[in-house]
Amino acid sequence: MVFPQYRPHYFVVQEDGVRSHLERRGWKQQPPRHRRPPDFFWTLDERAIDYDGLQDDQVANHFRDIAVVATKAGLTRSMNDVQWCAAGLAADAITYFPRSYALDDQDGRAAFVDDFRRTAAAAVVRGVVEDLPFVPNLLELALRVCSAWINDLEAHRTGQIASVLNDDEWHRLLEYSYVCGGGAAKPAPRKRRPASARPQKLPRDASRAAGVRSLRELGRRTPRCYCDDRILVDTTPDLLRTAAVGVARRLSELWPQWRIDGRRNVWIVKPPEACRGHGIVLKRRLEDVLSLAERMGGRVAQKYVETPMLWKDDDRRGVKFDLRLRCLFVCGRERMRSYVFEPCYARLCSQPFSLEDDALANPMVHLSNLAVQRRGESDDEDLMRTQQALEKKFATKHVSSLWSSHVRPRLAHIVAGLGACAATQASPRTQSIELLGGDVVLDADGTPWLLEANLSPALARRSDAHAATIERMLDGVLCRTLDKWLPSGIPGQSEGGDRDDGWQFVRTHSMPRPAPTNTRGFGFFVVGLKLSGADLLRRDASVSLIEAWHRLRMWWRPY
């Protein structure tokens, strides 16, 4: 029904659920060859919108450069660069975004190799702490690497770890880490001879990597351990184990991602602009990851969360799951507001979680995408759980308030970090919105970790309860945007106020002003001052992109 006293609004929408909500508000589908341009665009891809041809009063559901957040390579670069433009908010992305590297450029690949080597050395130390047998001279190499890493963390600098060992030592250490990562740790038996006095057999691969037959033979070689940068102390395997415990304790204090690294050093490799789990593989050997990067450009390597929280039901024995988080960014005149929707829902894998080599190649174990899990015998309802069921699980596993006191604030912090990236790097325009679907995994302590952000999340109705949730979510999106900017005037449909519809306000973000276009007769010169790595980090932590723009305006005057 159209009210003649009101000017009708026209839309171009590629989503049926959005179309029904607009029609109930009195909006009309844009007819073909209509002279008047549509008032609202809702597309599945931002590339379908001609941003240069949009008028000021037209509304679009995407930002021009949202690919900097909604693609795997874009999010990787944004999280690595966000410290330059969002100081104090998203600069701590290391606490909620597993480190990720773009393998298509030389700098990203070199940074990944350094990180892989550090993590391999830390995995060897972690295995010793978990009472696994070890090769002393190879543990010495791992302790040297971890000691240099600790010094870099304490000095707040990014050091080159490659210079700690030579190429042959790196090869031996990596081959040993591949062997140490296998199998489960067993507690050391009590009242037995020390490890140095007891012959222990190693796997054949470990013996070949070390070039020896047993740990007793290595114990006679008087290994050495790095206690700091300068002192080498002759020690025994017992003291090596003590040193490993101290190094692991210090890394757990300094390194925010220590609890998700695990002992297997598994990395997940993702292809560019792929969805529904296509092309995603898990690797734990450096040469395998680099080989994939050579075969296809644009791949991203991200550290896999090896210690996820597992879902255990009567019919399931510890399967991996993730959370689908819906985020909304509403861009006004000069500021952007970010929202998070509750309830979220969990997506379950269909097979028990395992990090064994044969399980790493099974997507049914590690990829919780519904498009992947449908290949099995489970249906959608069996693979999904509500937030209410998740909170009940927390109440039985942890304290009853863990979700509200720990998980919910951390989820809001993740949305704020994504909003900071979108506001400063995605080129949002006035009267535009962005709806993203974030994939979040919880570690064993219940801490959320953002894996990726998806453009135009699926709005398929998978059950009656899920359909009601989506209807409520879409109504809240339109209530906060079109009902305020382009009210239809129909009573009861365009109140334009925020309702209790599940959307929770997170943060207001300032957007950078556009750079001046008239640069005729403008010249400048730069006077630089040499800064150390620690000084640069301290200065960048207090300077945002907005502050830099205002400082530029203080001395620049257009002619």
Side-chain angles (χ1 to χ4, degrees):
M1 180 177 183
V2 178
F3 289 75
Q5 64 269 31
Y6 302 118
R7 171 180 175 270
H9 294 302
Y10 294 94
F11 61 83
V12 174
V13 173
Q14 299 178 354
E15 176 61 47
D16 294 338
V18 179
R19 182 182 293 108
S20 62
H21 278 273
L22 292 174
E23 291 175 347
R24 288 198 295 267
R25 284 169 163 78
W27 286 61
K28 299 175 61 177
Q29 177 76 31
Q30 174 81 356
R33 299 181 180 179
H34 196 267
R35 296 181 178 179
R36 177 182 162 188
D39 299 285
F40 179 51
F41 291 91
W42 185 290
T43 64
L44 301 180
D45 195 329
E46 83 281 2
R47 291 170 291 189
I49 301 175
D50 180 15
Y51 290 93
D52 295 329
L54 288 179
Q55 301 178 6
D56 293 339
D57 58 346
Q58 288 182 293
V59 181
N61 75 315
H62 291 303
F63 300 159
R64 178 192 290 264
D65 298 323
I66 194 57
V68 301
V69 175
T71 60
K72 299 172 179 62
L75 184 61
T76 294
R77 293 186 173 93
S78 298
M79 287 298 173
N80 292 335
D81 298 339
V82 74
Q83 58 178 332
W84 299 95
C85 53
L89 174 62
D92 59 344
I94 193 67
T95 62
Y96 62 81
F97 183 68
R99 53 201 186 278
S100 182
Y101 301 94
L103 301 178
D104 56 348
D105 62 87
Q106 185 175 359
D107 294 338
R109 189 174 302 189
F112 163 71
V113 172
D114 281 349
D115 196 337
F116 188 95
R117 289 172 168 177
R118 282 196 306 262
T119 311
V124 173
V125 174
R126 190 191 296 263
V128 176
V129 174
E130 296 177 1
D131 290 329
L132 289 179
F134 61 90
V135 179
N137 64 340
L138 296 178
L139 176 58
E140 174 195 350
L141 299 180
L143 290 174
R144 287 168 56 186
V145 175
C146 292
S147 298
W149 187 14
I150 290 174
N151 291 334
D152 291 338
L153 292 175
E154 292 176 339
H156 303 284
R157 66 172 183 263
T158 303
Q160 294 293 329
I161 209 70
S163 60
V164 178
L165 304 178
N166 57 40
D167 293 342
D168 179 66
E169 290 173 333
W170 276 122
H171 174 72
R172 294 170 59 202
L173 179 59
L174 290 181
E175 290 296 327
Y176 181 59
S177 68
Y178 302 147
V179 177
C180 291
K186 299 180 181 180
R190 297 183 179 180
K191 296 181 180 180
R192 298 184 66 181
R193 291 181 297 170
S196 58
R198 186 174 65 253
Q200 299 182 19
K201 293 183 179 180
L202 294 176
R204 180 173 301 177
D205 294 340
S207 301
R208 187 181 301 114
V212 295
R213 292 187 297 272
S214 67
L215 289 180
R216 171 180 289 178
E217 180 179 348
L218 284 173
R220 302 193 189 103
R221 296 187 178 184
T222 314
R224 296 174 297 177
C225 170
Y226 256 86
C227 293
D228 53 39
D229 270 350
R230 302 178 180 178
I231 302 176
L232 280 171
V233 180
D234 292 338
T235 183
T236 63
D238 290 337
L239 293 181
L240 277 175
R241 189 183 297 275
T242 302
V245 172
V247 166
R249 183 185 301 111
R250 187 58 179 155
L251 279 177
S252 65
E253 297 170 354
L254 295 174
W255 184 234
Q257 297 190 11
W258 171 262
R259 60 177 173 268
I260 70 171
D261 281 350
R263 196 162 46 84
R264 297 276 290 172
N265 195 15
V266 178
W267 291 75
I268 182 169
V269 185
K270 306 176 183 179
E273 297 191 15
C275 60
R276 298 177 178 269
H278 293 298
I280 297 179
V281 294
L282 276 68
K283 299 294 182 182
R284 57 183 301 264
R285 297 184 69 93
L286 179 60
E287 58 271 18
D288 293 344
V289 178
L290 298 180
S291 176
L292 289 174
E294 291 291 341
R295 280 184 281 172
M296 177 184 292
R299 288 186 183 269
V300 170
Q302 186 179 50
K303 186 64 187 71
Y304 187 69
V305 179
E306 299 185 31
T307 58
M309 179 177 290
L310 303 181
W311 192 285
K312 297 180 181 180
D313 285 338
D314 295 338
D315 56 343
R316 297 180 186 273
R317 52 183 187 90
V319 298
K320 180 188 173 183
F321 70 94
D322 70 354
L323 303 180
R324 170 50 65 94
L325 191 67
R326 301 182 183 94
C327 319
L328 176 65
F329 306 119
V330 180
C331 184
R333 294 289 180 181
E334 297 181 354
R335 295 180 179 274
M336 189 187 77
R337 295 165 65 89
S338 58
Y339 299 86
V340 60
F341 181 79
E342 286 194 13
C344 59
Y345 64 92
R347 305 179 301 179
L348 278 62
C349 293
S350 57
Q351 296 187 16
F353 179 77
S354 174
L355 289 176
E356 297 298 329
D357 291 339
D358 55 347
L360 293 181
N362 187 357
M364 311 295 287
V365 177
H366 299 280
L367 302 183
S368 56
N369 306 62
L370 293 179
V372 175
Q373 297 300 325
R374 287 197 195 102
R375 303 170 190 171
E377 300 178 355
S378 303
D379 55 9
D380 288 355
E381 293 188 9
D382 190 40
L383 297 171
M384 297 175 59
R385 295 293 186 273
T386 63
Q387 179 176 324
Q388 183 180 4
L390 189 61
E391 293 181 11
K392 186 180 299 184
K393 171 183 173 62
F394 271 88
T396 57
K397 182 179 179 61
H398 304 281
V399 296
S400 58
S401 62
L402 183 59
W403 179 271
S404 59
S405 63
H406 180 65
V407 179
R408 182 179 285 119
R410 298 275 299 188
L411 292 177
H413 190 67
I414 290 175
V415 175
L418 287 174
C421 293
T424 56
Q425 304 181 53
S427 304
R429 63 184 295 273
T430 303
Q431 292 190 355
S432 60
I433 62 177
E434 191 64 67
L435 179 64
L436 297 179
D439 294 340
V440 178
V441 66
L442 304 180
D443 63 18
D445 298 329
T447 301
W449 295 88
L450 174 67
L451 302 181
E452 61 185 27
N454 301 279
L455 187 70
S456 302
L459 302 178
R461 279 67 169 170
R462 309 188 188 281
S463 64
D464 294 339
H466 191 241
T469 301
I470 291 181
E471 290 294 322
R472 183 170 168 233
M473 179 196 69
L474 290 177
D475 185 71
V477 171
L478 300 179
C479 169
R480 285 165 171 77
T481 55
L482 295 187
D483 289 352
K484 293 182 178 180
W485 300 336
L486 299 173
S488 63
I490 299 178
Q493 295 293 337
S494 299
E495 296 87 344
D498 293 350
R499 310 167 185 171
D500 184 15
D501 48 20
W503 286 107
Q504 306 295 327
F505 171 73
V506 175
R507 191 180 179 90
T508 299
H509 307 272
S510 299
M511 297 183 300
R513 299 180 182 180
T517 56
N518 183 14
T519 58
R520 184 173 54 185
F522 174 67
F524 67 94
F525 64 95
V526 177
V527 178
L529 178 65
K530 184 177 180 181
L531 298 175
S532 64
D535 293 337
L536 186 62
L537 289 177
R538 283 196 296 268
R539 290 170 184 259
D540 292 339
S542 60
V543 179
S544 66
L545 185 62
I546 307 300
E547 294 171 348
W549 166 253
H550 287 298
R551 293 185 182 185
L552 180 64
R553 289 292 300 271
M554 292 176 62
W555 60 268
W556 175 71
R557 294 292 185 271
Y559 292 95

